[in-house]
PDB file of all heavy atoms in Angstrom:
ATOM      1  N   MET L   1       0.782  -1.245  -0.081  1.00  0.00           N
ATOM      2  CA  MET L   1      -0.040   0.048  -0.070  1.00  0.00           C
ATOM      3  C   MET L   1       0.819   1.243  -0.030  1.00  0.00           C
ATOM      4  O   MET L   1       0.405   2.326   0.424  1.00  0.00           O
ATOM      5  CB  MET L   1      -0.955  -0.014   1.240  1.00  0.00           C
ATOM      6  CG  MET L   1      -1.812  -1.184   1.465  1.00  0.00           C
ATOM      7  SD  MET L   1      -2.474  -1.879  -0.051  1.00  0.00           S
ATOM      8  CE  MET L   1      -3.551  -0.505  -0.465  1.00  0.00           C
ATOM      9  N   GLN L   4      -0.174   4.531  -1.652  1.00  0.00           N
ATOM     10  CA  GLN L   4      -1.319   5.301  -1.112  1.00  0.00           C
ATOM     11  C   GLN L   4      -0.761   6.152   0.080  1.00  0.00           C
ATOM     12  O   GLN L   4      -1.297   7.257   0.304  1.00  0.00           O
ATOM     13  CB  GLN L   4      -2.503   4.467  -0.678  1.00  0.00           C
ATOM     14  CG  GLN L   4      -3.183   3.874  -1.888  1.00  0.00           C
ATOM     15  CD  GLN L   4      -4.121   2.753  -1.385  1.00  0.00           C
ATOM     16  OE1 GLN L   4      -4.265   2.535  -0.251  1.00  0.00           O
ATOM     17  NE2 GLN L   4      -4.806   2.169  -2.334  1.00  0.00           N
ATOM     18  N   GLN L  10      -3.020  15.160   2.095  1.00  0.00           N
ATOM     19  CA  GLN L  10      -2.925  16.036   3.086  1.00  0.00           C
ATOM     20  C   GLN L  10      -1.381  15.927   3.591  1.00  0.00           C
ATOM     21  O   GLN L  10      -0.815  14.944   3.169  1.00  0.00           O
ATOM     22  CB  GLN L  10      -3.775  15.913   4.255  1.00  0.00           C
ATOM     23  CG  GLN L  10      -3.598  14.669   5.075  1.00  0.00           C
ATOM     24  CD  GLN L  10      -4.341  13.461   4.642  1.00  0.00           C
ATOM     25  OE1 GLN L  10      -4.872  13.516   3.568  1.00  0.00           O
ATOM     26  NE2 GLN L  10      -4.512  12.563   5.516  1.00  0.00           N
ATOM     27  N   ASP L  12      -0.088  15.616   6.706  1.00  0.00           N
ATOM     28  CA  ASP L  12       0.303  15.294   8.182  1.00  0.00           C
ATOM     29  C   ASP L  12       0.989  13.958   8.243  1.00  0.00           C
ATOM     30  O   ASP L  12       0.900  13.220   7.313  1.00  0.00           O
ATOM     31  CB  ASP L  12      -0.983  15.162   9.088  1.00  0.00           C
ATOM     32  CG  ASP L  12      -2.057  14.309   8.418  1.00  0.00           C
ATOM     33  OD1 ASP L  12      -1.875  14.028   7.115  1.00  0.00           O
ATOM     34  OD2 ASP L  12      -2.906  13.869   9.027  1.00  0.00           O
ATOM     35  N   THR L 107     -16.754  11.893  36.447  1.00  0.00           N
ATOM     36  CA  THR L 107     -16.846  10.851  37.482  1.00  0.00           C
ATOM     37  C   THR L 107     -16.660  11.411  38.961  1.00  0.00           C
ATOM     38  O   THR L 107     -17.399  11.079  39.859  1.00  0.00           O
ATOM     39  CB  THR L 107     -15.758   9.793  37.196  1.00  0.00           C
ATOM     40  OG1 THR L 107     -15.970   9.234  35.955  1.00  0.00           O
ATOM     41  CG2 THR L 107     -15.740   8.729  38.231  1.00  0.00           C
ATOM     42  N   LEU L 114     -23.220  11.512  45.046  1.00  0.00           N
ATOM     43  CA  LEU L 114     -24.030  10.370  45.050  1.00  0.00           C
ATOM     44  C   LEU L 114     -24.967  10.234  46.330  1.00  0.00           C
ATOM     45  O   LEU L 114     -25.993   9.694  46.248  1.00  0.00           O
ATOM     46  CB  LEU L 114     -23.223   9.066  44.926  1.00  0.00           C
ATOM     47  CG  LEU L 114     -22.995   8.641  43.551  1.00  0.00           C
ATOM     48  CD1 LEU L 114     -22.308   7.305  43.546  1.00  0.00           C
ATOM     49  CD2 LEU L 114     -24.299   8.558  42.717  1.00  0.00           C
ATOM     50  N   GLN L 116     -26.454  12.559  47.881  1.00  0.00           N
ATOM     51  CA  GLN L 116     -27.160  13.819  48.252  1.00  0.00           C
ATOM     52  C   GLN L 116     -28.539  13.575  48.757  1.00  0.00           C
ATOM     53  O   GLN L 116     -29.056  14.240  49.675  1.00  0.00           O
ATOM     54  CB  GLN L 116     -27.117  14.763  47.007  1.00  0.00           C
ATOM     55  CG  GLN L 116     -26.138  15.843  47.307  1.00  0.00           C
ATOM     56  CD  GLN L 116     -26.247  16.866  46.227  1.00  0.00           C
ATOM     57  OE1 GLN L 116     -27.258  17.017  45.480  1.00  0.00           O
ATOM     58  NE2 GLN L 116     -25.332  17.826  46.147  1.00  0.00           N
TER      59      GLN L 116
ATOM     60  N   ARG Z 133      -7.449   1.143  -2.162  1.00  0.00           N
ATOM     61  CA  ARG Z 133      -7.439  -0.314  -2.335  1.00  0.00           C
ATOM     62  C   ARG Z 133      -7.606  -1.166  -1.181  1.00  0.00           C
ATOM     63  O   ARG Z 133      -7.777  -2.378  -1.244  1.00  0.00           O
ATOM     64  CB  ARG Z 133      -6.142  -0.654  -3.114  1.00  0.00           C
ATOM     65  CG  ARG Z 133      -6.151  -0.059  -4.497  1.00  0.00           C
ATOM     66  CD  ARG Z 133      -5.009  -0.480  -5.346  1.00  0.00           C
ATOM     67  NE  ARG Z 133      -5.247   0.011  -6.603  1.00  0.00           N
ATOM     68  CZ  ARG Z 133      -4.308   0.662  -7.387  1.00  0.00           C
ATOM     69  NH1 ARG Z 133      -2.984   0.684  -6.953  1.00  0.00           N
ATOM     70  NH2 ARG Z 133      -4.528   1.244  -8.506  1.00  0.00           N
ATOM     71  N   LEU Z 212      -8.671   8.896   7.990  1.00  0.00           N
ATOM     72  CA  LEU Z 212      -7.894  10.004   7.997  1.00  0.00           C
ATOM     73  C   LEU Z 212      -6.693   9.890   7.024  1.00  0.00           C
ATOM     74  O   LEU Z 212      -6.274  10.907   6.603  1.00  0.00           O
ATOM     75  CB  LEU Z 212      -7.249  10.047   9.457  1.00  0.00           C
ATOM     76  CG  LEU Z 212      -8.196  10.416  10.491  1.00  0.00           C
ATOM     77  CD1 LEU Z 212      -7.581  10.569  11.835  1.00  0.00           C
ATOM     78  CD2 LEU Z 212      -8.985  11.788  10.176  1.00  0.00           C
ATOM     79  N   ASN Z 276     -21.047   3.903  37.256  1.00  0.00           N
ATOM     80  CA  ASN Z 276     -20.590   5.080  36.598  1.00  0.00           C
ATOM     81  C   ASN Z 276     -19.665   4.773  35.462  1.00  0.00           C
ATOM     82  O   ASN Z 276     -19.880   5.355  34.392  1.00  0.00           O
ATOM     83  CB  ASN Z 276     -19.849   5.879  37.614  1.00  0.00           C
ATOM     84  CG  ASN Z 276     -19.149   7.083  37.092  1.00  0.00           C
ATOM     85  OD1 ASN Z 276     -19.745   7.981  36.536  1.00  0.00           O
ATOM     86  ND2 ASN Z 276     -17.863   7.102  37.175  1.00  0.00           N
ATOM     87  N   GLY Z 338     -28.891   8.294  43.246  1.00  0.00           N
ATOM     88  CA  GLY Z 338     -28.676   9.065  44.386  1.00  0.00           C
ATOM     89  C   GLY Z 338     -28.115  10.501  44.217  1.00  0.00           C
ATOM     90  O   GLY Z 338     -27.952  11.367  45.095  1.00  0.00           O
ATOM     91  N   GLY Z 340     -27.672  14.431  43.398  1.00  0.00           N
ATOM     92  CA  GLY Z 340     -28.540  15.563  43.698  1.00  0.00           C
ATOM     93  C   GLY Z 340     -29.126  16.160  42.451  1.00  0.00           C
ATOM     94  O   GLY Z 340     -28.924  15.835  41.422  1.00  0.00           O
ATOM     95  N   GLU Z 638       3.726  -8.271   0.830  1.00  0.00           N
ATOM     96  CA  GLU Z 638       3.011  -7.884  -0.234  1.00  0.00           C
ATOM     97  C   GLU Z 638       3.253  -8.673  -1.353  1.00  0.00           C
ATOM     98  O   GLU Z 638       4.410  -9.301  -1.638  1.00  0.00           O
ATOM     99  CB  GLU Z 638       3.258  -6.436  -0.493  1.00  0.00           C
ATOM    100  CG  GLU Z 638       2.784  -5.412   0.497  1.00  0.00           C
ATOM    101  CD  GLU Z 638       2.913  -3.925   0.042  1.00  0.00           C
ATOM    102  OE1 GLU Z 638       3.776  -3.622  -0.669  1.00  0.00           O
ATOM    103  OE2 GLU Z 638       2.069  -3.141   0.637  1.00  0.00           O
TER     104      GLU Z 638
END
Side-chain angles (χ1 to χ4, degrees):
Chain L
M1 308 316 302
Q4 284 169 6
Q10 72 269 18
D12 52 344
T107 299
L114 271 186
Q116 255 190 13
Chain Z
R133 291 190 177 135
L212 290 183
N276 173 63
E638 291 188 334

